Amino acid sequence: MKRREIFAGNWKMYKTRETAKSLVKSLLQGAALTENREVVVFPPSPYAAEIASLCGGSVISVGMQNMYFQKEGAFTGEVAPAMVRDCGCKYILIGHSERRHVFGETDAEVNKKVKAAFEHSLVPMICVGELLEEREKAKTETVLEAQVKEAFNGIDAGRAGTAVVAYEPVWAIGTGKVATPEIAEEAHRYIRSVLEVLYGKPAADDIPILYGGSVKADNIAGLYAMENIDGVLVGGASLEADSFLKIINTR
Ligand code: PGA
């Protein structure tokens, strides 16, 4: 049996209050129950509380796409970790490539957010991934190693074992260029080897590593068949119930 599986949808800055609600209602109706699989949605922050209350007691968990690492203070426009919890969220997405590359989030900030997540009983879903030019210069492993090590800096094995990692090659996000199952599996295996050096095999084996980047209903099967791919983080194809349901009901 695979380790714990997570099929997640990142809605980014899309949807209205009404279309977000109707999407999640369709997902609640159509998502098949599987003991080992959790479905997670990341709605835009203003809708998180309402979506979380619709999902209460269901197979679908809710997360927020971003937060600040400070507890509270004069940080106009930011969301505190306790507020994320207060909205009924279980997960927090940290270090998504759009946060890193559009908003300049650094590895050090990612690490502070990971620490803040654990301090507030949130499950961090930590995104890592290389740029196209880094892959072309054969720097993929160096980049992944640095991102993983920095994200988990100062986190003990007990906590690390409850985190989730998402491998999202930046060149595959929103581009329609999905990584082949072999390329993704190679990166996942490498990420797991880095986690193993940090935490030992049992903890590293517990951490789900999700693939993200142009996942669609018609390419999920090959990815899901890979030993170290424990689920997916889906952007575009998670915005419509039909396509996301096909993905989350993959067996
Ligand atoms: P995509 O986005 O599925 O639209 O490529 C993935 C992501 O950004 O998490």
Side-chain angles (χ1 to χ4, degrees):
M1 183 158 85
K2 286 215 171 207
R3 51 186 77 75
R4 98 194 133 91
E5 296 177 359
I6 296 173
F7 282 49
N10 170 14
W11 298 351
K12 307 193 181 188
M13 202 172 75
Y14 292 106
K15 298 286 165 195
T16 63
R17 187 176 168 202
E18 284 314 310
T19 57
K21 281 184 351 192
S22 82
L23 172 56
V24 87
K25 282 178 191 163
S26 304
L27 298 178
L28 286 165
Q29 274 176 1
L33 240 172
T34 318
E35 202 187 324
N36 198 37
R37 183 173 305 175
E38 188 176 2
V39 176
V40 185
V41 293
F42 291 93
S45 309
Y47 310 140
E50 206 167 351
I51 297 297
S53 79
L54 287 171
C55 292
S58 79
V59 288
I60 302 182
S61 301
V62 180
M64 235 179 251
Q65 298 171 17
N66 182 39
M67 67 175 187
Y68 198 45
F69 50 79
Q70 295 282 4
K71 276 197 179 72
E72 63 178 5
F75 303 108
T76 301
E78 294 293 334
V79 173
M83 297 170 187
V84 179
R85 278 286 302 173
D86 215 14
C87 287
C89 290
K90 173 177 173 185
Y91 285 89
I92 179 73
L93 202 58
I94 298 179
H96 187 276
S97 79
E98 285 143 25
R99 299 299 319 166
R100 291 177 188 265
H101 299 296
V102 181
F103 299 99
E105 204 166 289
T106 63
D107 282 335
E109 283 163 337
V110 166
N111 178 243
K112 285 183 184 166
K113 291 182 181 192
V114 171
K115 287 179 173 155
F118 283 121
E119 275 155 28
H120 292 85
S121 306
L122 292 162
V123 180
M125 188 178 286
I126 303 161
C127 302
V128 296
E130 79 288 0
L131 296 163
L132 183 60
E133 59 260 39
E134 291 166 338
R135 174 160 286 270
E136 284 170 351
K137 289 182 188 154
K139 286 189 176 156
T140 300
E141 293 193 348
T142 317
V143 170
L144 295 179
E145 182 184 11
Q147 289 179 343
V148 170
K149 282 189 170 163
E150 187 63 30
F152 282 92
N153 188 14
I155 306 295
D156 64 32
R159 281 184 160 175
T162 66
V164 178
V165 173
Y167 169 61
E168 298 206 305
V170 181
W171 47 270
I173 296 179
T175 58
K177 282 191 213 154
V178 64
T180 63
E182 292 71 26
I183 286 180
E185 171 67 9
E186 196 184 0
H188 283 226
R189 215 182 310 117
Y190 180 72
I191 291 168
R192 201 173 303 285
S193 76
V194 174
L195 292 168
E196 210 174 302
V197 171
L198 292 176
Y199 298 115
K201 195 165 167 38
D205 256 346
D206 276 350
I207 301 175
I209 306 178
L210 318 184
Y211 169 79
S214 297
V215 174
K216 306 273 180 275
D218 62 7
N219 61 29
I220 174 90
L223 293 161
Y224 180 62
M226 294 290 143
E227 190 192 331
N228 284 288
I229 299 183
D230 308 306
V232 283
L233 176 55
V234 187
S238 74
L239 293 172
E240 299 301 330
D242 279 358
S243 54
F244 195 40
L245 280 169
K246 279 189 191 133
I247 292 169
I248 63 188
N249 290 333
T250 299
R251 295 287 175 268

